[in-house]
Amino acid sequence: MLVLGANASFGGAGSIIFIVLIFGLMYFMMIRPQKKQQQKHQEMMSKLQVGDKVVTIGRLHGVVDKVDNDAKTVTLDCDGIYLVFDRTAIMRVDHVEAVQPAPKATDEAESTDDKTADDEATKAPDAPADDSTDDDANNK
């Protein structure tokens, strides 16, 4: 009888450990990723600027025309139609980056241009000129 009583008390502790493990697993599988996603969305909304391309939760695409931090609203330009949305209605933001000038041509690019010019020069003498052929046909 004494042995059965000892097993019953261990079973209660095992149940508590099992429940704690289940809650720990739920935290790491569900709650923590959701908090990270929410934090990422808040950071994205804090960087919202005029001119950014956005998509709303209703899948409406537009360009930010005005951001009102006091009223927590955003005015979108959708092909000339201006719509006002709550900031929470913005699902995705595509930040428009400043256009950078094209890099200067390198020596490799210049050498390939020279090769193509040489190739065209060698092909040109072999082919008859179209203007001379037309003149001969008109003279006869």
Side-chain angles (χ1 to χ4, degrees), residues 18-57:
F18 182 72
I19 291 173
V20 169
L21 286 175
I22 292 294
F23 279 113
L25 185 65
M26 284 178 53
Y27 174 77
F28 282 106
M29 297 297 286
M30 296 171 61
I31 298 171
R32 188 171 177 231
Q34 186 178 7
K35 282 185 178 181
K36 282 186 175 183
Q37 186 178 14
Q38 186 178 21
Q39 183 180 16
K40 183 179 175 183
H41 187 264
Q42 286 176 348
E43 181 180 326
M44 177 182 65
M45 295 307 297
S46 67
K47 293 180 180 179
L48 190 65
Q49 306 174 25
V50 173
D52 287 346
K53 293 181 181 180
V54 297
V55 180
T56 66
I57 57 176

Side-chain angles (χ1 to χ4, degrees), residues 74-91:
V74 177
T75 304
L76 299 183
D77 178 9
C78 303
D79 293 333
I81 300 171
Y82 295 90
L83 303 170
V84 179
F85 290 95
D86 289 339
R87 290 182 69 147
T88 57
I90 304 298
M91 179 179 70

Side-chain angles (χ1 to χ4, degrees), residues 52-120:
D52 287 346
K53 293 181 181 180
V54 297
V55 180
T56 66
I57 57 176
R59 306 292 191 255
L60 180 74
H61 296 251
V63 178
V64 176
D65 185 60
K66 180 182 172 186
V67 178
D68 188 359
N69 291 329
D70 296 332
K72 296 183 182 178
T73 60
V74 177
T75 304
L76 299 183
D77 178 9
C78 303
D79 293 333
I81 300 171
Y82 295 90
L83 303 170
V84 179
F85 290 95
D86 289 339
R87 290 182 69 147
T88 57
I90 304 298
M91 179 179 70
R92 187 178 73 221
V93 177
D94 297 328
H95 295 286
V96 177
E97 307 243 349
V99 178
Q100 297 178 355
K104 294 183 180 180
T106 61
D107 293 333
E108 291 179 21
E110 291 174 4
S111 65
T112 46
D113 290 341
D114 292 338
K115 288 179 185 177
T116 55
D118 292 338
D119 291 340
E120 290 174 5

